[in-house]
Amino acid sequence: MSTLLNKLAGFGDFTVLVVGDFMLDEFLYGDAERLSPDAPVPVLRSDRLERTAGGSANVASCLMGLGGRVHCCGVVGDDEAGQWLREDLSARGCVIDGLVTDAGRPTTVKRSIVGLAQHRHPQKMFRVDVETTDPVSDSIEGQLLAVIGASVDSVDIICLEDYGKGVCSETLCQSVIELARAAGVPVFVDPANGVDWTRYAGATTMTPNRTELEQAIDHRFPDSVPDPEPATAMMERLELDTMVLTLDRHGSMLLQRDAEPLHVPTTTRSVYDVTGAGDMVLAALAAGRANGLSWTESVEFSNAAAGLEVEVFGAQPIPLSSVRREIMLRQAPMDRSVRAPEELATELAVHREAGQRIVLTNGCFDVVHAGHVAYLREAANLGDVLVVGVNVDEEVAKQKGPERPVYPLQQRLDILSEFRCIDYLVAFPEATAHELIRAVQPDIYVKGGDYRPEEINEHDLVTELGIELRVLGHRPGLSSTSVIERMADG
């Protein structure tokens, strides 16, 4: 059965057009350890200014982090903030031909004042917004629609990110949806607060959070998994195909036409900052659907991505490798380290993306003794992830004689599973470890015993592949064969 993690391993190229309100997020950091003498307010002694892409620009950055190609369509001012956004998005690899400059309005800037008191973690004190929410002119809107019309046939999905800053008018939203439907391109909408959602009618999906839906329908939900009926009614009224209602620590609710509502739970997180979580949900859903994930799988994927987002400060793109690792940790059976070869390959790819060194060793491990314990512990200390290949019963018999193994494969795996130093166990049927080495592609290959490196069967292969070979110290008298012989003599 193909798991979500297996499918993520096959993620490929996809292209998304991001339409909406492009913003600049600024964070002014400093110490806030005293109050002003002329007013009961903290004084910030600033020491640095950080900038990140916000709003639709953050959606674009998130999509790039998930492996997408992104075309940006929105409005910036003829100012330094707008120039910074252009340069940042271009440096990330986004196509910015659709960013229209409007000299009559400022680039939207959200400037957060962040204080550090008593050398603890940063805390937002307040925020200053530089913006206008006036609708863009007909001329600017015409330029945006021309960009969208020219791009729609070359993208897989359109993301409409509305922050209510004047770009996503009813005319523009409906024009985008009509163009996309004619081209067979899905439209994913993250709706704005305080606007009439009929402007999004006919889109493929919407991703409101609990608060946004409450305001849109003037109905208060309990702080739990809500009754899906109000959200379903909104989905049907807007003629959407699906709706993904995000519920903070309660996960998400997936609503689909002609299907029962599905609650998709999430893992409880340490919430540090919710900034950018909605952008991450929209980007992850688009990435998932563009790569052939089902709606349920896409929601699971977006839950994991958004969970990582709230654990960092500010809007920061979460790379695909981090989301894959998070899903691996969720899916991996916590009580066992045994993996099938295809499972092992997928999970090791995640470890490599995280920059971890992989160590491989192999053996029969029949009648485990103190020598095995010391050897495996030493092997584990050479890297970050220890993979142990275990010979199948037939191969043990060929190597050790017809009376072996004493313990069949499953029992040997059960015993080794209790070793805390072993991350993964995999059975292999070959006489040598050549195929196992090719499959695992470790950074270090370890053998134990009284050998010179060139005497090891796999020496030429690991040299060819550029893998480090380590021979760990031989421990006389500590072998399964000698243990069995001593037991027989006794």
Side-chain angles (χ1 to χ4, degrees):
M1 182 175 66
S2 182
T3 65
L4 175 57
L5 187 62
N6 294 137
K7 292 182 179 180
L8 294 182
F11 256 38
D13 293 336
F14 63 99
T15 306
V16 180
L17 173 62
V18 178
V19 181
D21 297 301
F22 285 74
M23 309 179 190
L24 173 61
D25 288 347
E26 291 187 343
F27 296 87
L28 184 63
Y29 291 91
D31 289 329
E33 297 184 342
R34 64 188 181 92
L35 293 177
S36 171
D38 54 5
V41 295
V43 174
L44 183 83
R45 188 178 63 196
S46 64
D47 55 26
R48 75 183 191 278
L49 175 68
E50 292 183 0
R51 287 175 157 178
T52 61
S56 297
N58 185 48
V59 175
S61 298
C62 290
L63 285 162
M64 293 294 295
L66 297 175
R69 293 186 298 267
V70 182
H71 295 251
C72 300
C73 182
V75 177
V76 295
D78 186 13
D79 48 30
E80 193 268 339
Q83 183 61 31
W84 188 95
L85 267 181
R86 287 179 175 279
E87 292 175 358
D88 181 71
L89 290 169
S90 180
R92 294 177 187 271
C94 296
V95 178
I96 61 170
D97 296 348
L99 282 184
V100 177
T101 299
D102 185 349
R105 62 194 298 126
T107 301
T108 299
V109 178
K110 295 182 178 181
R111 183 173 296 120
S112 295
I113 311 301
V114 184
L116 185 68
Q118 297 180 350
H119 306 289
R120 296 177 181 172
H121 67 266
Q123 177 67 48
K124 278 187 185 180
M125 298 168 61
F126 60 95
R127 196 179 80 194
V128 178
D129 288 358
V130 179
E131 64 180 20
T132 177
T133 59
D134 295 338
V136 298
S137 66
D138 291 344
S139 173
I140 295 294
E141 189 170 273
Q143 292 181 58
L144 295 175
L145 289 174
V147 169
I148 295 163
S151 304
V152 67
D153 288 325
S154 62
V155 301
D156 299 304
I157 288 176
I158 296 177
C159 285
L160 193 59
E161 178 66 79
D162 189 0
Y163 273 87
K165 306 304 180 185
V167 171
C168 298
S169 66
E170 181 175 356
T171 299
L172 184 131
C173 290
Q174 282 299 296
S175 297
V176 168
I177 292 167
E178 290 173 10
L179 287 167
R181 282 194 172 273
V185 176
V187 178
F188 289 20
V189 178
D190 187 5
N193 266 325
V195 303
D196 184 352
W197 283 5
T198 55
R199 67 178 62 183
Y200 313 126
T204 307
T205 194
M206 281 175 55
T207 62
N209 61 37
R210 186 199 307 264
T211 301
E212 289 166 341
L213 183 60
E214 286 177 340
Q215 294 185 6
I217 64 177
D218 192 24
H219 174 79
R220 183 77 175 176
F221 292 116
D223 186 20
S224 60
V225 180
D227 177 2
E229 183 55 36
T232 300
M234 175 64 76
M235 179 186 72
E236 293 175 348
R237 181 162 71 88
L238 297 179
E239 298 182 324
L240 309 174
D241 294 338
T242 69
M243 178 182 285
V244 179
L245 177 62
T246 59
L247 303 168
D248 303 315
R249 69 180 183 278
H250 296 112
S252 300
M253 182 174 291
L254 171 62
L255 307 170
Q256 302 180 77
R257 288 187 184 181
D258 305 319
E260 289 296 316
L262 177 65
H263 173 233
V264 182
T266 190
T267 301
T268 302
R269 317 294 304 194
S270 298
V271 177
Y272 187 36
D273 186 358
V274 298
T275 303
D279 300 339
M280 192 72 238
V281 167
L282 184 69
L285 283 174
R289 291 296 291 167
N291 276 281
L293 299 186
S294 69
W295 276 108
T296 302
E297 291 168 333
S298 296
V299 173
E300 292 175 356
F301 177 57
S302 69
N303 277 355
L308 294 172
E309 181 67 47
V310 301
E311 290 189 330
V312 299
F313 190 79
Q316 298 183 32
I318 304 298
L320 178 60
S321 58
S322 296
V323 187
R324 290 179 62 198
R325 180 170 175 78
E326 171 67 15
I327 290 172
M328 181 184 75
L329 294 173
R330 292 185 183 193
Q331 291 189 346
M334 300 303 293
D335 60 341
R336 60 188 294 270
S337 51
V338 181
R339 295 291 187 272
E342 60 274 11
E343 293 174 325
L344 180 63
T346 300
E347 296 185 27
L348 289 181
V350 177
H351 289 295
R352 286 193 192 91
E353 288 174 343
Q356 294 180 305
R357 286 170 59 82
I358 297 168
V359 179
L360 171 66
T361 190
N362 62 277
C364 300
F365 298 100
D366 188 27
V367 187
V368 174
H369 50 75
H372 288 132
V373 175
Y375 165 73
L376 291 170
R377 186 186 297 124
E378 187 176 350
N381 287 335
L382 296 175
D384 303 299
V385 178
L386 176 60
V387 181
V388 177
V390 182
N391 293 104
V392 298
D393 294 346
E394 294 79 5
E395 188 56 40
V396 176
K398 291 178 183 178
Q399 294 182 26
K400 305 294 185 180
E403 302 301 320
R404 303 279 295 274
V406 173
Y407 296 112
L409 176 63
Q410 188 56 58
Q411 292 183 22
R412 287 183 282 134
L413 292 174
D414 288 343
I415 294 168
L416 291 170
S417 292
E418 297 300 317
F419 281 49
R420 287 180 296 177
C421 62
I422 297 175
D423 296 287
Y424 296 106
L425 291 162
V426 60
F428 71 104
E430 294 83 18
T432 68
H434 286 74
E435 293 306 314
L436 180 64
I437 292 169
R438 289 191 178 96
V440 173
Q441 293 287 318
D443 297 286
I444 304 172
Y445 179 59
V446 176
K447 288 293 286 186
D450 190 15
Y451 304 104
R452 293 194 303 272
E454 59 271 17
E455 295 175 335
I456 295 172
N457 289 329
E458 297 82 3
H459 174 267
D460 290 347
L461 176 63
V462 296
T463 301
E464 174 190 337
L465 297 177
I467 296 167
E468 181 182 348
L469 175 62
R470 296 287 294 270
V471 180
L472 301 186
H474 177 57
R475 293 171 174 82
L478 287 178
S479 72
S480 296
T481 300
S482 63
V483 169
I484 292 170
E485 289 174 350
R486 287 200 302 271
M487 292 176 65
D489 291 343

